[in-house]
Amino acid sequence: MGQAPVTSGSRWDVRAAGPITNEVRATLPPVEPTSRDLFGRLVDFLLGHDVFISYAWADGRRYAERLFRVLSEIGLSAFLDDERMHAGAKLRSTLRRALRSSTVLIVIVTEEVLASGHVANEVRAFAQSDRNIIPIVPPNLVETIRTPPEQAPDLPDDATTAPVRTIRAYLMAALHDRIWVQEDVIADSDPSDRVITKVRNTVGAFRRIRIRVAILAMSVVVFLIIAVAALVLRGVASSNEQTAISRQLAAQSVATKDEQLDRSLLLALAADDVKSTKEARQALHTALVNGPPISAYLREHDQPVMEIEPLSNGGFVTADFGGNLVHFDAAGSVVAGATLETRQPVEAMISRSDGTLLVGDFAGVVWILDSEDLTVRDQVFSDQFANSAAHIAWRENKRELIVGYTGGDIVAWTRPADDAGWSGRLIGQVGTSIISMAGSPDGRLLAVGTDSGTILLLEAEAPDQQPRVRTVATLLAARPEAYIKGLAFDSSGQRLAFDDAAGGVNIVSLETFADGPSSLCHRHTNDVYEITFAGTDVVSVGSDGRLRVAEGSNGCTGRADYQVTAKSLQSVALLSGPALQLATGSGDGTVLLWNLDKSGVVGETLADDVLIPVSAAFSPDDKTLLVAGVTGKPGPGSGFARAYDARTLAPRGQRAANVVGPITEIIDTGHPTMLSQDALIRWPDVDAPSTEVVWRPKQPAVGWPGQVFAPAAGRLVRAESDGTVTVFDLASGNVIWERGDVLQSAAGGVRSAAISPDGTKVAVGSNNGPIELLNGVTGDQMGEPLDMHTLEVTALHFSNDSSRLYTGSTDGQILAWDLKTRVPRHIENTFGSIQQIAVSGDENLIAAATQRGIVALWSDGGRTLSGTMGDNLPTAVTVLQFDGAGTRLAAATMADGVHKARIAAWDVEEASWQRIACQIAARPLSDEERSQFGVPDGVDPCHKD
């Protein structure tokens, strides 16, 4: 064996030898005894190979294969590409992956290697990533690769020699750094023992580093997996915990909605803030729609609110036990505040037409205040009645102030024209303590409640004489320590409501009371504090915290009972305005605003002569709601149409005049056009009564309600009960197509019809279930009928893109049909037969009205029940319509022998529910409530930053 030259200081002292012997091979321990087990293979998979063997196929293949075999035998992971690479061939993916992932590059230097472009690329890949390169060089090529490329006579500087120049430059750098191995013979020989030993030792060191890195990497990976799994499990657990808390808070919200609406709303909002579950949304909707009809909680007082007095401008003034007064406007905002100089509880308040407010307090003073800013203008006081509560009444026709003092004296106070001050005259005594007093609207009668359980009815002898009162009746038998606190005359002055000092609220006709007893309306569990009339209804509040309502037009029948607070309700007043609104004052100082006319968020009675609302439509800006239908008048005027404010439902302008026949559809609400029984009518100005006939059909209809109109895409479909379906051009009234054999197989004929927004489909519903689809352009039948309903199909609604059809039936089913597959999706309904359905433009919200007067609302395309509204709608819903934004839902009900036709509207957007709930509650949850109901820290949806 020849000895290889050794450069002084070389890190590699390699002496080439002949082929490796079995004896030598036996003395070579594996680098890592377990390196090729499962762990070793995992290390190779994660970190790649120990060695990448680079060679030229023509003269280095045999040596490379033998080197690969020996390295594998001693436990090293080596990559050998055993496929021949031709010029211009692309690197295979496995080769590229091995180049990227191998630790050491062994280059078997031969004559062909010096001209191999692929070897040059492999060397470049390792050099650029600063990985280790070990050249194995035979003696005959040492001087060749030592010669600088630019000095090599056989390597001209041109493109054809670029690969050779590149690899030679790398090999020269390797030799310069003494990182090379010399092998005497490469061609057709095995690697020498010394070469294998040096390669094993060097690569083994790198392998040990790789294994440590692999262990560390795998440890990191395992840690990350465990950490991610822990985070996922923690997230799942947290989500489950949040779901449980949300559902628990939602259940508590529903349980408290009747007794404390503000708390119910706050718990529902907290439930939704913890996690927006179906139960949380339903609880919020239930509290808003089906809870007590409270529209606001006002918290300006911190003492019991003793009196509330409405003002003519829609506002009202409240007074508490400490003599504090607050003027609120109609929306519940504070206008002014004041405190009486005496700081005594207020016993009575009366507003006068001259803008002043009369206030009687427990000190016997009657204050005359400016009702706007609550500044004192005057006062009425006599030392004789000091420290005696002043109950007051005002006789407008005599400009007299009647004051009943606790001691039993009744004094008439007047002020002469010369402004000499108030003078009082004793006009009567009742012989017992006066606890309450009420004057009739005409000033003729006074009702006085005493501390002995009696009610005295007093009358002036003659309206034109100086007032002297006489007792005309004594209601109730005398009882010791029975305090009569509640007294109220109705607007006619002919009926008196009173409490019986035992929790009962009674009503008596003053024209016939001598001939018959009073009627018991309802009974509180404790004392009655105040009574008022709201139209024909009798409203009372008491120490039991209840507000009770009875219908008093014919006798007295209980209508509603609300347990709204654990504290007592001290006072109640009917506020002025179009709606039946009340204000109540509670023992904790809270003032509640009520809307007893609530059939939704807002409601309004239609004109007296409207029998059946048939259609409704929102204007493009969603600010106006048009309602059309049928009146009880024959001929001109038998059709009804009117515009309403979409938010308040207050009527706008005048109704459309001289409309012949019932209005059955509103088409274009930008320039409103309506269909009557025999004409298309344009209404140029919804605030004016004049209308114009656009056209009349050449074919008269067979009569109403045996026809159904549905406009879309410039077309109008008219379906008649005999199965005749006609499509008109909306602009001209010309017939586009007509066929008379629709639903011939269906018993009872046509019940409903609709045309798709793009005008390509017409759906016709039958009286016994099947729905026929027709081509909107030609009238041809589109396949077999949709046959899933079993009773009359009352409602049809196409989606905006005309790809789906929503159907409702008296069989109780609501179906969403995919018209491409003709497969329906069931929308779960437990509320009975369906009369109307409405779908928001984005199809997120589905609403349905049932025969029982319930309007149900679903979200998520009908997959989640949000709740119900209009549970107290008195008659069948004939119209149901979303506005364009899908945030508001309008409904209209028909008239019957008892109830008038009505319209109602609700906010149906969840964000609106949250905003309204926060406005009503007007407070955060207290610390006590948070602790009691388990509300997590930081949950405060109404007071977020």
Side-chain angles (χ1 to χ4, degrees):
M1 299 180 187
Q3 182 173 327
V6 179
T7 304
S8 176
S10 172
R11 287 180 295 163
W12 288 71
D13 184 6
V14 179
R15 302 194 182 274
I20 188 169
T21 63
N22 290 332
E23 292 80 3
V24 172
R25 182 179 289 114
T27 64
L28 296 175
V31 176
E32 295 289 345
T34 60
S35 63
R36 306 311 298 157
D37 61 7
L38 180 60
F39 176 75
R41 290 193 295 272
L42 180 60
V43 170
D44 294 343
F45 174 77
L46 293 175
L47 299 181
H49 300 282
D50 297 319
V51 176
F52 185 102
I53 301 174
S54 180
Y55 66 100
W57 179 274
D59 57 359
R61 180 172 62 88
R62 187 179 299 278
Y63 185 89
E65 289 174 347
R66 292 173 179 175
L67 178 62
F68 173 79
R69 185 173 63 252
V70 172
L71 294 178
S72 299
E73 287 177 356
I74 63 175
L76 292 176
S77 171
F79 178 85
L80 177 71
D81 182 25
D82 56 0
E83 294 187 18
R84 185 167 187 171
M85 301 293 290
H86 299 285
K90 292 183 178 180
L91 293 176
R92 299 188 312 281
S93 60
T94 54
L95 184 59
R96 290 195 300 270
R97 190 162 54 248
L99 272 173
R100 289 194 303 268
S101 61
S102 297
T103 303
V104 176
L105 174 69
I106 294 179
V107 182
I108 301 172
V109 180
T110 61
E111 293 285 352
E112 292 295 326
V113 162
L114 297 180
S116 171
H118 288 297
V119 172
N121 288 334
E122 292 164 1
V123 172
R124 181 183 296 109
F126 269 74
Q128 289 177 345
S129 58
D130 198 25
R131 285 177 288 169
N132 296 281
I133 302 172
I134 303 176
I136 298 178
V137 186
N140 62 312
L141 294 179
V142 170
E143 291 301 325
T144 302
I145 62 174
R146 278 180 173 173
T147 303
E150 64 274 7
Q151 297 178 10
D154 58 337
L155 292 176
D157 188 5
D158 56 39
T160 61
T161 63
V164 177
R165 297 167 64 85
T166 299
I167 193 169
R168 185 174 293 180
Y170 285 133
L171 294 178
M172 286 174 60
L175 289 175
H176 177 74
D177 291 337
R178 307 292 195 271
I179 305 175
W180 62 286
V181 181
Q182 181 173 312
E183 179 74 280
D184 284 345
V185 180
I186 287 181
D188 199 24
S189 65
D190 288 342
S192 65
D193 295 346
R194 296 291 300 275
V195 168
I196 295 301
T197 300
K198 293 299 183 182
V199 169
R200 172 193 173 279
N201 291 339
T202 301
V203 176
F206 290 134
R207 180 174 179 81
R208 284 188 291 274
I209 295 173
R210 287 176 63 242
I211 290 176
R212 294 189 190 102
V213 171
I215 293 173
L216 178 61
M218 284 188 289
S219 299
V220 171
V221 169
V222 171
F223 173 78
L224 290 176
I225 291 174
I226 293 174
V228 170
L231 289 174
V232 170
L233 292 176
R234 182 178 179 181
V236 171
S238 176
S239 178
N240 291 339
E241 181 182 10
Q242 290 173 345
T243 299
I245 293 173
S246 176
R247 289 173 175 169
Q248 178 183 354
L249 292 174
Q252 292 167 336
S253 168
V254 173
T256 60
K257 71 176 176 64
D258 293 327
E259 296 183 2
Q260 197 161 347
L261 181 64
D262 58 339
R263 174 183 290 174
S264 174
L265 293 171
L266 292 172
L267 289 175
L269 290 169
D272 190 69
D273 199 41
V274 170
K275 188 172 185 180
S276 185
T277 59
K278 176 181 68 175
E279 292 81 1
R281 296 193 297 272
Q282 289 177 346
L284 179 58
H285 185 271
T286 298
L288 279 175
V289 176
N290 300 324
I294 298 171
S295 57
Y297 283 73
L298 309 179
R299 295 184 173 84
E300 295 298 323
H301 294 278
D302 57 8
Q303 298 188 58
V305 178
M306 309 297 291
E307 288 293 323
I308 302 174
E309 179 65 15
L311 303 178
S312 58
N313 61 6
F316 56 97
V317 176
T318 59
D320 67 22
F321 194 80
N324 302 295
L325 287 79
V326 179
H327 175 191
F328 294 94
D329 64 16
S333 298
V334 174
V335 177
T339 300
L340 299 179
E341 183 180 339
T342 57
R343 298 184 180 273
Q344 290 293 310
V346 171
E347 178 60 33
M349 289 195 297
I350 296 177
S351 63
R352 298 193 299 181
S353 59
D354 63 357
T356 59
L357 184 70
L358 305 177
V359 180
D361 68 14
F362 273 34
V365 181
V366 178
W367 301 90
I368 303 174
L369 308 179
D370 184 290
S371 61
E372 183 68 21
D373 60 16
L374 301 182
T375 56
V376 177
R377 290 190 180 182
D378 203 350
Q379 67 181 48
V380 179
F381 175 70
S382 170
D383 290 336
Q384 180 181 352
F385 306 110
N387 300 315
S388 178
H391 309 273
I392 58 179
W394 176 252
R395 284 165 50 106
E396 182 68 30
N397 61 337
K398 289 291 186 179
R399 306 295 294 174
E400 293 166 343
L401 173 63
I402 309 298
V403 182
Y405 295 97
T406 303
D409 297 319
I410 302 176
V411 177
W413 294 88
T414 59
R415 184 164 192 165
D418 60 5
D419 199 26
W422 291 87
S423 62
R425 187 174 351 201
L426 183 67
I427 61 173
Q429 289 182 311
V430 298
T432 184
S433 295
I434 297 176
I435 302 301
S436 57
M437 188 171 74
S440 62
D442 61 6
R444 186 176 64 89
L445 295 174
L446 282 177
V448 176
T450 71
D451 63 353
S452 60
T454 60
I455 299 173
L456 305 179
L457 192 62
L458 312 178
E459 182 181 34
E461 290 184 348
D464 58 346
Q465 298 176 0
Q466 293 296 330
R468 288 185 66 249
V469 295
R470 62 187 178 89
T471 302
V472 297
T474 300
L475 305 179
L476 301 177
R479 288 163 294 158
E481 297 185 0
Y483 290 73
I484 304 297
K485 301 183 181 72
L487 292 171
F489 284 94
D490 72 353
S491 59
S492 70
Q494 298 302 311
R495 293 186 303 160
L496 177 69
F498 60 91
D499 84 272
D500 60 11
V505 175
N506 303 263
I507 188 170
V508 65
S509 170
L510 300 183
E511 295 178 333
T512 62
F513 72 90
D515 300 326
S518 59
S519 299
L520 176 66
C521 301
H522 48 243
R523 189 172 295 280
H524 289 261
T525 57
N526 289 306
D527 292 343
V528 175
Y529 281 155
E530 193 161 8
I531 301 172
T532 190
F533 275 91
T536 61
D537 290 339
V538 179
V539 182
S540 60
V541 296
S543 60
D544 57 3
R546 308 184 87 89
L547 181 141
R548 305 199 67 168
V549 184
E551 207 289 315
S553 61
N554 184 17
C556 204
T557 305
R559 185 165 73 85
D561 179 12
Y562 304 107
Q563 172 74 56
V564 295
T565 177
K567 303 289 185 181
S568 61
L569 288 178
Q570 302 280 139
S571 51
V572 60
L574 175 67
L575 305 181
S576 59
L580 197 56
Q581 294 181 329
L582 295 172
T584 59
S586 66
D588 64 0
T590 304
V591 175
L592 307 181
L593 299 186
W594 300 72
N595 179 7
L596 292 188
D597 206 24
K598 173 183 172 183
S599 59
V601 172
V602 291
E604 180 70 27
T605 300
L606 294 173
D608 290 345
D609 60 350
V610 176
L611 294 180
I612 306 175
V614 179
S615 180
F618 284 90
S619 61
D621 61 5
D622 289 335
K623 293 182 179 179
T624 301
L625 175 66
L626 298 182
V627 180
V630 185
T631 71
K633 300 177 181 178
S638 61
F640 165 81
R642 189 159 195 175
Y644 296 85
D645 183 285
R647 176 58 52 180
T648 65
L649 298 188
R652 282 183 49 183
Q654 303 178 55
R655 60 194 288 180
N658 300 318
V659 178
V660 179
I663 299 295
T664 58
E665 193 70 41
I666 301 172
I667 301 173
D668 180 0
T669 56
H671 300 284
T673 306
M674 304 170 292
L675 288 166
S676 73
Q677 181 174 345
D678 59 356
L680 186 73
I681 300 169
R682 180 177 291 116
W683 193 5
D685 183 358
V686 296
D687 292 321
S690 59
T691 59
E692 305 168 355
V693 174
V694 180
W695 52 260
R696 299 181 186 276
K698 297 181 175 67
Q699 268 178 281
V702 299
W704 190 91
Q707 57 184 345
V708 180
F709 294 99
R715 299 185 176 190
L716 166 69
V717 58
R718 183 179 74 190
E720 302 183 44
S721 58
D722 64 355
T724 301
V725 176
T726 308
V727 172
F728 299 89
D729 177 76
L730 195 56
S732 65
N734 294 329
V735 174
I736 297 175
W737 59 261
E738 181 178 85
R739 56 182 299 172
D741 59 347
V742 178
L743 290 171
Q744 292 300 302
S745 61
V750 171
R751 176 61 174 82
S752 53
I755 188 168
S756 62
D758 62 6
T760 61
K761 303 177 186 71
V762 171
V764 183
S766 70
N767 273 309
N768 66 337
I771 301 167
E772 192 156 311
L773 282 179
L774 305 175
N775 186 299
V777 178
T778 65
D780 296 334
Q781 185 173 338
M782 299 175 66
E784 293 298 316
L786 305 176
D787 195 1
M788 185 66 72
H789 291 292
T790 58
L791 296 175
E792 59 180 336
V793 179
T794 53
L796 298 168
H797 188 103
F798 279 98
S799 63
N800 279 349
D801 63 2
S802 304
S803 66
R804 285 168 297 281
L805 178 66
Y806 294 85
T807 63
S809 167
T810 54
D811 64 7
Q813 293 188 89
I814 305 173
L815 304 176
W817 296 84
D818 184 318
L819 296 182
K820 184 176 182 180
T821 63
R822 302 173 76 89
V823 174
R825 174 172 57 85
H826 287 261
I827 296 174
E828 185 177 356
N829 170 44
T830 59
F831 304 106
S833 64
I834 301 301
Q835 296 299 302
Q836 300 288 330
I837 60 173
V839 182
S840 63
D842 59 3
E843 297 182 73
N844 176 51
L845 300 176
I846 313 293
T850 72
Q851 279 184 338
R852 290 156 43 194
I854 295 173
V855 176
L857 182 71
W858 291 264
S859 59
D860 302 326
R863 295 171 179 84
T864 302
L865 177 67
S866 296
T868 62
M869 55 197 76
D871 291 10
N872 58 343
L873 291 177
T875 58
V877 174
T878 56
V879 174
L880 202 60
Q881 181 71 39
F882 281 104
D883 68 0
T887 61
R888 199 147 175 82
L889 177 67
T893 64
M894 64 185 295
D896 61 14
V898 177
H899 304 94
K900 296 178 180 180
R902 295 176 55 80
I903 54 174
W906 301 272
D907 284 302
V908 293
E909 186 181 32
E910 288 187 20
S912 296
W913 299 351
Q914 294 170 351
R915 184 183 66 255
I916 292 170
C918 288
Q919 290 173 348
I920 292 175
R923 69 175 178 91
L925 284 164
S926 67
D927 292 340
E928 182 182 353
E929 288 171 323
R930 288 179 173 276
S931 175
Q932 178 182 354
F933 296 103
V935 179
D937 293 339
V939 174
D940 193 3
C942 291
H943 299 82
K944 292 182 177 179
D945 294 334

